[in-house]
Amino acid sequence: MFRRALSQAAKEDLRHIAKVEEAPAESVSLSVSKAKANVPLGVDMTSRCRDGKTYITELKHDGPLHLAGAKVQDRIVSVNGRACTGAKAAAALLAAASGDFEVVVERVQECFI
């Protein structure tokens, strides 16, 4: 599900991530809600091979993560206090979560040069 080919826009987003990697980032705690486990959250993610950091590449409009305030290019840090060490781990943690739960993301602050 998460290994499909990236759209051109997603590839450009990842290039942007690489360019601003050293930019200041803020940690944002999102309160997510879904009725039960294994309900889709409407998110596509990718992780970098070298360090396993997991980034949101696409969000479904009005999906649970989108409604909680997640944005494309956010890095998923943890789900309910459990660290995400790659897209597969993040997908498993997100799928297993139910009710109200916390997702911590790291958001690169916009830098205008």
Side-chain angles (χ1 to χ4, degrees), residues 1-2 34 39-45 56-67 70 72 94:
M1 170 173 22
F2 296 105
K34 67 176 186 167
V39 171
L41 285 169
V43 62
D44 286 340
M45 301 168 282
I56 295 174
T57 56
E58 293 184 42
L59 278 169
K60 179 181 177 188
H61 182 71
D62 290 336
L65 273 177
H66 180 257
L67 292 174
V72 171
L94 290 168

Side-chain angles (χ1 to χ4, degrees), residues 17-25 50 53 108 111:
I17 288 168
K19 289 178 185 175
V20 298
E21 185 175 54
E22 300 304 318
R50 66 179 176 174
K53 290 183 179 179
V108 173
C111 296

